[in-house]
Amino acid sequence: MNNAIITVVGSDQVGIIAAVSAYLSEKKINIADITQTILSGNFVMMMMVDLSASEKTIADMRSDLEELGTKMGVEINVMHERVFNSMQRV
C-alpha cells in the first residue's frame, strides 16, 4: 500500500470533514482510518489514506490540501506513512 497521514487542526466549523473527504474521493484516495476530536474548541483530525488507486503524488496532494486548508482557515499537513512512523520513534 501507498499510505499517507493527513492531519487537520483549526477552529471547529461545519464542513471540515466533508471538504477533505470530498477532495479525497474525487482523487480516488481511500480513507483507511480516521479519528477526530474537539480539544478546547479546536478541531483535530488524523486520517490514514491509501493512494494506491490515485494518480496524485503525495507532493501534489500536500499542495492541494494546504490550499484547501488556507481557504477553510485550518492547517492541513500530509506526510508519507513511513515518515510519520519514523518521527514517532524519535
Side-chain angles (χ1 to χ4, degrees):
M1 265 199 241
N2 188 12
N3 291 337
I5 304 295
I6 300 172
T7 58
V8 182
V9 178
S11 296
D12 188 26
Q13 60 186 288
V14 173
I16 297 172
I17 296 173
V20 175
S21 296
Y23 169 83
L24 297 172
S25 177
E26 289 170 9
K27 307 305 181 203
K28 297 182 178 160
I29 300 169
N30 186 48
I31 299 170
D33 200 0
I34 181 173
T35 184
Q36 68 88 34
T37 191
I38 307 298
L39 296 171
S40 301
N42 291 305
F43 177 85
V44 180
M45 176 171 69
M46 183 178 284
M47 302 173 130
M48 178 181 288
V49 297
D50 177 4
L51 288 86
S52 298
S54 179
E55 294 181 12
K56 283 284 185 179
T57 66
I58 288 180
D60 292 337
M61 186 174 65
R62 182 181 299 118
S63 177
D64 292 347
L65 288 174
E66 284 177 0
E67 184 177 324
L68 177 62
T70 299
K71 289 179 185 174
M72 297 181 65
V74 298
E75 184 176 331
I76 303 178
N77 293 300
V78 180
M79 68 182 75
H80 196 280
E81 180 185 27
R82 282 179 276 160
V83 173
F84 179 80
N85 288 338
S86 294
M87 288 175 54
Q88 299 306 309
R89 286 188 216 129
V90 172

